[in-house]
Amino acid sequence: MNNYKKIILNNGLTLYLNTDPSLRQTYVSYSIHYGSNGRWFNFNLDGKDYHVLPGMAHYLEHLLGERSISGNMYTNFSRRHQSSNAYTGDDYTCYYFRGIENINESTKDLLEAMENPIFDDKMVNQTRHAICEEATSCVDNYPVIASNLVEHELFGGFDKFYKTLTTIGNRETTELITTEDLYACYNAFYTKNRESMVISGNVNEEKMVDFLNNVIEKLPTNNHLVTLPSLDYSSIRHRDTIIDRPVNDDINGIGFKAMVPDSLKRIDVQIAFNLLFSKVLGNDSLFLKECQDEGLLDTYGYCDYGFIDKYFIFSLTYYGNDRKEFSKRFIDELNNKNITEEEFILLKRESLSRIIRGLDKKYSTPRNFTRRIPYTEEYSDKDYILNLTYDRFIEIINSLDFTNYVETVVREKKR
Amino acid sequence: MNYRNLKKDNGVFLYKDNSFHTITYNLNFVAPKDKKYDPACDLLEIYMSTLGGFESELDFAKECKRLYDSRFSTSISEVRGERVLTINADVVAFSEVEDYSKEFYELFRKFIFEQKFTDEDLLTRIKRQFVATISQSLEDTETLAETLLDQYKNGKTDADYEYSSDIEFIEREINKVTLDDLNKVYREAISNFHDGLVIGKISDTEYHTFREMFNLTSEETRFKAKRRTKDRLNFNKEVKDDETSESTIYVNYEIGTMTREQYELLFYILNSSCGIMHEILREKYGLVYSSYVDFSNSTNTFSIVANIDSKNKERLLEAANEVIELIQSNDKINELLEYAKNEIRREIYLLDEDKTVLTKTLDAYIERGSLRKDTLLKKIDTITADDITTLTKTLTKKGTFMYRGTKNE
């Protein structure tokens, strides 16, 4: 995304502002670097240790938006004819709306909801039922379970997901969540150094910043002290894991964990890995064709990558008839890194075209324009691609080691 | 979006717009309707997109990559009773990078006109992949529920390929398909060009090159509207599955006879009622985390769909009745009208901000004669509360369908 200006508001909240006169709608989002990842299940807040249940970030997402000081925030957005939603990811939670009019009013509602929680026992219990239903459905979503299993096994030092392999626990854990623990998580993680806003539209920078600062000065500040235990991110849970579920076909998985050297930024790794992945599993890959011809890879499930602490992780679920053989070949191919300069030019071209295409639909879903702040503050991937040289690309991929991996399968249990 | 920019040229519609960064070509051909070709059509889509007219799929893929990741796809769908093969090409605008238009058009010509169906190994592989994909999609309870509902609505069974949820049956039907079948469907379709749409950042010269290289002309434009078929919704059915705890329920309504304009307006009114529905289902009754409305244009039906705990079925039905009664009463009319107007206004703005929406809107306008959004907006200003009530009162409750996960019961 181009032309976002980074502004720090008076209370320390980071704002990314994009003034775009061509837009008739305004897009507003609020993100917090806190999600369903298990590394936040244990923490110390103001001298007290907490060991919380899974699903806290998701529960907070519901509570803060639906039981705010101005009522149900989403209903308010809807009444102002704005569309809105929220989602809890692995390591961030995001709330957003977009609309034509009454943007300031909704932005105020959003900030008040995020910065001034009012939920009590009654509200927590009123919300519990819907969340129980959602958690219950997650337990039977086997393709997602298969993907979560891979990432769960990549980390032996903490539970990335709960034992049910869902991101939000299950019915039993949801029923045990308390108001006290919810406030503890809020106080620990909804802090200035974790939060950010993104606004994109035909807005006046000075007026918007003044408006936001005026809203913020009336809101409470979060001065709690939190410490997180140091976790072992390096160890692997199990190298090879099998679980049985009533699926039609086995869902295989493979995941990698690569240490990112201090000399590299996240955008270096992200883009270089994308090019490498395209080389290995792109449509013109001989490796892919051989795997498909032999039935080792019939179709993909989920493919995901991201960063945790100093590590870059990548996971893939797929359907195929011989996971051991596919794993062996895939690992070899990924670590081969024998890419010619001619191949690199084609990969760059492909990547560039993807970025150019993205310009035609940058507002099609809000996830396209909201920035995941922990990841990168590079505003233009296009410039990065254009300036990336072959030597630099080889240097980056050679510093990533993809020999630390796990294999999994969600095995067909006969119905 | 400016409809005046849309030019018709012997069966091809052209919409030039320099705010795009890409060019999209959608070409429609009429394929044989016989149901026996259903499995062949499913495989044809994949086969064509894999080889692209080349002997080797790797050569095709490499050439696409060389030409700035040019993307091609085929899909076969039913449009107003006709089976339509749509060939789509999506490219980075030539002026964004360098002029590769001639090479692209050669590749596109090959894709459309020079496909050969001689690779048995590829067909075998595609069959296996297709079955795996279908099997995977039927893991999802919502997809399974939707498939079964479709089956019941149309009086079909698992023995009807188009509506089947029986993966073993589907696999058997797929395995019967031969290369000759693919060839037959393809040859017949390619000789039957119906219409096309070219949209994006394309210059006059680039467009003229396209027209010269592709001899595609047609007098036809829109597919003629067929009489809407009646859905058989007068059933209350439940399918149980003890391997899951997820349940999906459809509460079905029939929409009465009305003009196209009235139907489009009702569509927005009912979509706008999602906010009300959410308030009632979730906040008042404490049910569901996921609910939405589902329309079937061809069969005049509307459903409230929810993912729920199976134990809450009766409460959900009570809540759904309340939603419909509220929509049909005068209390909410003005609110619904305002929602509908703003939704249409937002869609108009989205046409400028999201090019994929613009392409789909133009497609619908050309294909089905969908009302222009600005026209619809003007019409809404002339609609009264009584007009709305007349429309909403045509909703008639027909029955329910539930895919019931009994694992936790």
Side-chain angles (χ1 to χ4, degrees), chain A residues 237-384:
Chain A
R237 186 176 297 272
H238 300 109
R239 293 276 171 204
D240 196 338
T241 309
I242 300 172
I243 63 172
D244 291 324
R245 293 291 187 275
V247 291
N248 287 339
D249 290 304
D250 290 358
I251 310 174
N252 305 309
I254 186 166
F256 299 84
K257 188 162 73 175
M259 170 86 91
V260 177
D262 291 338
S263 56
L264 295 183
K265 292 194 283 187
R266 283 183 170 180
I267 192 168
D268 294 322
V269 175
Q270 200 166 298
I271 293 200
F273 179 77
N274 276 334
L275 299 185
L276 175 63
F277 186 76
S278 182
K279 157 83 169 89
V280 173
L281 286 178
N283 287 342
D284 62 338
S285 157
L286 183 59
F287 167 75
L288 174 67
K289 183 170 180 344
E290 285 169 355
C291 288
Q292 286 178 330
D293 284 345
E294 293 174 44
L296 299 179
L297 177 66
D298 281 334
T299 180
Y300 297 115
Y302 285 92
C303 182
D304 201 9
Y305 66 80
F307 297 88
I308 292 185
D309 194 62
K310 291 189 194 327
Y311 291 91
F312 172 74
I313 66 168
F314 160 65
S315 65
L316 173 71
T317 59
Y318 63 97
Y319 295 77
N321 63 13
D322 187 340
R323 66 184 183 97
K324 286 292 181 188
E325 184 58 25
F326 175 76
S327 291
K328 176 174 162 301
R329 293 197 206 175
F330 185 51
I331 292 160
D332 285 345
E333 194 68 21
L334 210 56
N335 287 293
N336 185 336
K337 296 172 188 170
N338 186 11
I339 299 173
T340 64
E341 192 160 359
E342 190 194 339
E343 284 171 328
F344 169 71
I345 290 168
L346 288 186
L347 290 169
K348 248 180 91 154
R349 220 178 242 204
E350 186 188 27
S351 189
L352 185 63
S353 78
R354 199 176 301 132
I355 291 167
I356 293 173
R357 282 194 162 87
L359 297 174
D360 273 357
K361 47 188 173 185
K362 64 182 175 183
Y363 296 111
S364 62
T365 66
R367 291 188 204 215
N368 287 352
F369 70 89
T370 55
R371 302 299 293 167
R372 289 174 62 178
I373 304 307
Y375 280 62
T376 174
E377 287 186 345
E378 292 289 341
Y379 297 128
S380 173
D381 288 354
K382 185 177 174 183
D383 289 339
Y384 186 95

Side-chain angles (χ1 to χ4, degrees), chain A residues 24-25 27 62 72 78 81 129 137 140 171 248-249 284 292 295 298 319 349 353 357 360 364, chain B residues 21-22 66 69 90 128-129 135-136 139 245 282-283 286 289 339 342 346 352-355 407:
Chain A
R24 281 186 283 181
Q25 297 192 83
Y27 301 76
H62 277 263
N72 186 322
S78 187
H81 314 300
H129 183 82
S137 76
D140 294 332
R171 176 178 290 275
N248 287 339
D249 290 304
D284 62 338
Q292 286 178 330
D298 281 334
Y319 295 77
R349 220 178 242 204
S353 78
R357 282 194 162 87
D360 273 357
S364 62
Chain B
H21 298 83
T22 56
R66 191 178 74 81
D69 191 27
D90 177 82
R128 200 179 60 236
Q129 287 172 332
S135 178
Q136 188 187 347
E139 299 281 5
S245 50
R282 192 127 174 219
E283 294 195 17
Y289 72 89
Y339 273 129
N342 271 282
R346 210 187 16 247
D352 290 327
E353 291 167 12
D354 185 339
K355 305 307 180 193
K407 187 168 144 189

